[in-house]
Amino acid sequence: ASAVWSVMLRSVMVQGQLFLISPSGGERLIAQEETAIRWQALGEMPQVLLEYSKDDFQKDIHLIASNVPNLGSYFWTVPNDKSQNVKVRITAQHNKKISSSSGKPFKIDHYQIRWNVKDAKTGKDLSGLFLSDSFGQTRTDLASPVVFERPYGIYTTSWSKPGYQEF
């Protein structure tokens, strides 16, 4: 009986692949809300690196998390970095050549909040209003309705007007 034997003198490494599932593009994410980054991995990659960019990863690259266990998802608190042109990228921690990013840009946005401040007796919109809020904003001489944009969160807003009292 004869046999054929082969001896390999060096190890073989299978590269693997990553596929970013979401955010894939076109989504509207709200700053400070939590969203899931989801991906699929083929091959052995124990950990991944997550980043986002507003210029297609040319210069504006922000770390989301490194050494993330490769479990297919990561819950990300969206930063207060408003933009219309955001992409996420996932990269194998051990091999930067293995990566995948959002196919199209998505947007990081704020909620639009509208206050209608009215006279309790007449129901008419008030002007000459003073605003102070827990977002750190103080404004004077505002007229109702007042519209601001804010990231996700809990804020306290106080309104006042010279000549008016709380009741």
Side-chain angles (χ1 to χ4, degrees):
S2 63
V4 176
W5 293 88
S6 174
V7 177
M8 182 168 270
L9 299 176
R10 58 187 169 142
S11 61
V12 174
M13 185 172 141
V14 177
Q15 290 287 325
Q17 285 185 297
L18 287 167
F19 301 97
L20 185 69
I21 298 169
S22 68
S24 60
E27 298 92 344
R28 177 181 181 239
L29 305 182
I30 301 297
Q32 306 299 5
E33 280 191 338
E34 191 172 73
T35 192
I37 298 173
R38 298 188 192 285
W39 66 91
Q40 182 179 15
L42 301 174
E44 181 64 29
M45 286 171 260
Q47 297 170 323
V48 296
L49 170 75
L50 298 168
E51 301 164 300
Y52 80 93
S53 174
K54 298 179 292 182
D55 70 354
D56 208 13
F57 299 97
Q58 297 303 305
K59 292 182 182 176
D60 182 61
I61 301 170
H62 303 270
L63 178 67
I64 294 171
S66 61
N67 297 309
V68 174
N70 184 11
L71 301 175
S73 67
Y74 177 84
F75 287 97
W76 176 39
T77 300
V78 179
N80 190 9
D81 195 4
K82 196 172 169 186
S83 176
Q84 302 274 331
N85 194 39
V86 184
K87 288 186 175 184
V88 164
R89 177 170 65 191
I90 181 170
T91 305
Q93 193 75 46
H94 73 284
N95 185 344
K96 305 295 187 238
K97 292 179 181 177
I98 302 172
S99 69
S100 179
S101 63
S102 305
K104 295 180 182 177
F106 59 89
K107 127 187 339 187
I108 294 177
D109 207 355
H110 289 163
Y111 283 116
Q112 191 174 71
I113 303 168
R114 177 186 174 114
W115 288 276
N116 293 303
V117 184
K118 298 187 179 277
D119 183 289
K121 291 181 183 177
T122 67
K124 292 184 179 180
D125 286 326
L126 292 176
S127 61
L129 296 165
F130 174 82
L131 169 135
S132 176
D133 67 19
S134 59
F135 195 69
Q137 190 164 43
T138 301
R139 303 268 310 266
T140 59
D141 205 27
L142 295 171
S144 178
V146 178
V147 178
F148 289 125
E149 290 190 358
R150 297 283 188 264
Y152 174 79
I154 299 172
Y155 305 99
T156 303
T157 304
S158 299
W159 296 93
S160 63
K161 176 176 172 65
Y164 276 75
Q165 298 178 347
E166 290 184 29
F167 59 93

